[in-house]
Amino acid sequence: MTGGARPVTPTQVRLAQLFGEILTLEDVGIHDSFFALGGHSMASMRLVGRIRTEFGVELSIRDVFDALTVAGIADRIEGASAARPSLRPVGHRTDGTPVPVAPVQRPQWSSYRRHAAFDHALVLRSPGGLDSGALSAALADVVARHEPLRTTFTERDGAVLQQACPAPQLETEQCADLDARLARPAAGAPDLTREPPLRARLLTGPDGTQALLLTMHYLAADEWSVVPLFRDLATAYAARTSGAEPGWQPLPVTYGDYTHWAHETLGDPTDPDSVGGRQLAYWKRTLKDVPRGLELPADRPRTDAAGPSGHACDHVGFVLDEQLHAGVDRLARTTGTSMFMVLHSALSALLTAHGVGTDLPIGTMVAGRGDDRLADLVGCFFNTVVLRTDTAGDPTFTELLTRVRETTLGALDRADVPFDEVARATGLTPEGPQVMVIHHEQADLEELEGGLGSFHAVPTGSARAELTLSFYEPRGDGPVHCELIHATALLGRAKARRLADEFLTLLRNVAADPEQPLSELFTVNTHEE
């Protein structure tokens, strides 16, 4: 018998196409690595969702990280178990009766009850001016299309319920100083029991320059909702300025469909045989005796709690230049990890060097849009997970990366159970982790700019965590823009800047030689200016 190359299978062909669609590439070979092509943790979650939809099987995030290539993942598809029930349209009540919120909305409701504040704010600047009538009509179109934007919430007999409410109206405001107004975007706490979780204001400065300010709560729109929200708003505005209605395609499912599916899929977390029960058992084991509090680097004594709008915060921006970005990418590829895992490990090493400890519960956000039919919806899908990071024993950075890889993959494969359930079961504080690492994808700004102008996020001045490393991973080469967001009651700007500089120094050392023990890799300079 003579040997030869195995023929390419239909599964491999379609999987190569999925690689290309997710990573916006045209040519993908069956031996190409998902991560060498530009994939990352969030993209791998989308890939698992597409595989679930198209092949009807259930793979884990670990399968993608371990198998890597089209051929390797295709082999795992062939032997995988059947997928969970698929997301599908279901009938909805239209009589206005309150219905339960989605499981991942419950922790967001708890956060709102503690800190009644908008979570994020977005600004559209338009030097040429906006047609307020067309903009108002376009806003109504978008709100009609996305039901979470016209929803209020209440609590009854321990259950959190949501129901439709009148749509938010476009408000207008004259500003003596537009920049100063945008520096306090979330002025005024929302009452989500009576008003919708979206507030829209058309601001006009003294020179006629205009900006559309949108403030939102995570209960209705997480950060992954920004792209579909602005894409639909731009489409509707273009149509309304020409006297037409928007001609967009109907959404494949609604948020109500998702809510029904999420409850059905998760099941009762108290049932050990349900998806939620199995995941909760993992978190009970993983987070047993986890530290309840960390003594973070601080300039001043800790106060008892966050204020009514969360932690008042400031942020320090910094950049991984192209050379450092390339070094981090090389390290990630050679260790079978990702940029997120490398930066998470570096932050953990820095905190340990500052005496914070070797058992570090660090949080992150997962998008929760495992089904590709959710991609174009505005809503709350994200969840918070805790990555218990072990830096004990003075490991080399490569050894620490191995630990972080194991912890991260285990968490991402069990990220459906809501954080509030995990907190209750493990004794974690319901406010969430003190430290967060958040990975953002670089948005495709070109598709979101046009007749409305250009948009950007603006800080609300508050945060849920005391210290957050936030980074934006670009598509392809280029610098990585980062922010260190810090509670001002704990840390001043000067010391936060030093932490950011130390993080960059540590990361350069890591990229040059990841085999150094943490104690030799970086030493904190205790000299205070």
Side-chain angles (χ1 to χ4, degrees):
M1 176 182 292
T2 59
R6 294 171 57 187
V8 177
T9 67
T11 296
Q12 292 172 340
V13 170
R14 182 57 189 139
L15 191 56
Q17 293 171 343
L18 291 183
F19 273 39
E21 291 169 11
I22 291 171
L23 302 177
T24 61
L25 300 171
E26 292 186 1
D27 297 317
V28 176
I30 66 168
H31 299 298
D32 288 341
S33 164
F34 186 72
F35 298 98
L37 292 172
H40 43 70
S41 302
M42 291 167 61
S44 69
M45 297 180 79
R46 288 203 298 274
L47 178 63
V48 167
R50 294 292 296 273
I51 289 171
R52 180 185 298 124
T53 300
E54 300 211 16
F55 295 99
V57 298
E58 202 71 42
L59 289 190
S60 66
I61 308 299
R62 186 182 299 277
D63 285 322
V64 177
F65 271 83
D66 289 347
L68 293 176
T69 66
V70 169
I73 297 173
D75 287 342
R76 303 223 173 185
I77 288 174
E78 297 301 329
S81 59
R84 64 183 69 174
S86 61
L87 175 60
R88 62 193 184 279
V90 297
H92 298 296
R93 299 189 66 151
T94 58
D95 60 0
T97 302
V99 296
V101 297
V104 292
Q105 287 179 294
R106 291 201 312 266
Q108 307 316 318
W109 172 255
S110 297
S111 176
Y112 166 74
R113 292 293 300 272
R114 291 189 302 272
H115 310 300
F118 287 111
D119 286 304
H120 51 152
L122 299 147
V123 170
L124 275 161
R125 283 189 176 271
S126 180
L130 290 165
D131 181 332
S132 61
L135 185 59
S136 181
L139 178 68
D141 292 329
V142 171
V143 170
R145 181 171 169 84
H146 297 287
E147 58 189 283
L149 301 177
R150 46 184 167 82
T151 301
T152 54
F153 302 85
T154 188
E155 196 167 343
R156 186 179 302 166
D157 299 327
V160 186
L161 305 175
Q162 58 187 332
Q163 75 180 117
C165 71
Q169 301 297 307
L170 179 66
E171 303 172 27
T172 59
E173 182 179 331
Q174 296 291 324
C175 303
D177 187 332
L178 188 57
D179 290 334
R181 175 64 179 86
L182 293 176
R184 47 179 185 87
D191 181 356
L192 300 185
T193 65
R194 297 190 302 173
E195 62 181 296
L198 168 70
R199 186 175 291 170
R201 283 192 172 95
L202 180 58
L203 310 177
T204 304
D207 62 352
T209 302
Q210 291 183 310
L212 173 65
L213 173 63
L214 301 179
T215 47
M216 293 170 283
H217 196 278
Y218 281 146
L219 270 163
D222 56 28
E223 73 166 63
W224 290 273
S225 298
V226 170
V227 171
L229 173 63
F230 277 96
R231 186 171 54 226
D232 286 352
L233 187 60
T235 298
Y237 182 75
R240 291 299 179 178
T241 53
S242 63
E245 295 184 357
W248 46 46
Q249 292 293 316
L251 293 169
V253 292
T254 67
Y255 193 79
D257 297 327
Y258 161 76
T259 299
H260 177 85
W261 174 75
H263 281 288
E264 180 182 55
T265 300
L266 191 66
D268 183 356
T270 64
D271 176 2
D273 295 324
S274 69
V275 170
R278 292 193 297 270
Q279 291 190 8
L280 195 58
Y282 166 85
W283 289 112
K284 288 179 180 178
R285 295 191 306 271
T286 302
L287 299 178
K288 183 179 180 181
D289 299 324
V290 67
R292 294 287 300 273
L294 299 175
E295 290 299 322
L296 298 177
D299 285 324
R300 50 190 68 92
R302 177 183 301 281
T303 56
D304 290 337
S309 297
H311 296 285
C313 72
D314 198 355
H315 59 97
V316 170
F318 59 100
V319 175
L320 314 188
D321 60 31
E322 292 190 32
Q323 182 179 359
L324 183 53
H325 180 192
V328 169
D329 275 347
R330 283 193 301 273
L331 177 57
R333 287 196 297 270
T334 57
T335 55
T337 60
S338 65
M339 175 178 287
F340 172 84
M341 296 177 190
V342 174
L343 299 192
H344 172 195
S345 298
L347 179 63
S348 302
L350 181 63
L351 292 177
T352 295
H354 273 276
V356 177
T358 59
D359 187 356
L360 305 172
I362 296 178
T364 192
M365 296 196 310
V366 294
R369 297 179 186 241
D371 192 296
D372 62 295
R373 282 163 287 201
L374 300 175
D376 293 331
L377 267 65
V378 171
C380 174
F381 302 96
F382 86 102
N383 194 20
T384 298
V385 297
V386 177
L387 309 175
R388 188 175 191 177
T389 310
D390 175 17
T391 64
D394 196 23
T396 66
F397 193 81
T398 300
E399 290 169 342
L400 176 59
L401 259 181
T402 300
R403 298 179 188 179
V404 167
R405 181 186 193 273
E406 187 69 18
T407 298
T408 303
L409 295 182
L412 293 181
D413 282 326
R414 297 165 179 87
D416 298 309
V417 62
F419 176 75
D420 63 338
E421 293 280 359
V422 174
R424 280 195 295 269
T426 61
L428 283 170
T429 173
E431 282 80 5
Q434 290 171 262
V435 181
M436 298 279 288
V437 179
I438 301 179
H439 174 201
H440 308 271
E441 289 181 273
Q442 196 76 40
D444 187 351
L445 299 182
E446 291 183 0
E447 71 170 296
L448 299 177
E449 295 181 357
L452 277 175
S454 60
F455 86 96
H456 64 277
V458 290
T460 61
S462 66
R464 299 188 184 186
E466 293 180 340
L467 188 68
T468 300
L469 171 64
S470 177
F471 69 97
Y472 295 79
E473 185 166 4
R475 294 180 177 177
D477 300 329
V480 180
H481 294 274
C482 308
E483 285 184 327
L484 196 65
I485 304 166
H486 58 98
T488 53
L490 194 67
L491 201 62
R493 186 174 181 81
K495 188 160 189 174
R497 169 55 67 186
R498 288 197 294 274
L499 280 178
D501 291 342
E502 290 172 352
F503 179 80
L504 282 172
T505 298
L506 190 151
L507 205 55
R508 292 189 186 100
N509 293 343
V510 163
D513 183 6
E515 297 306 324
Q516 297 178 76
L518 299 189
S519 60
E520 299 178 13
L521 184 66
F522 182 80
T523 302
V524 171
N525 181 2
T526 57
H527 173 70
E528 294 292 339
E529 297 178 1

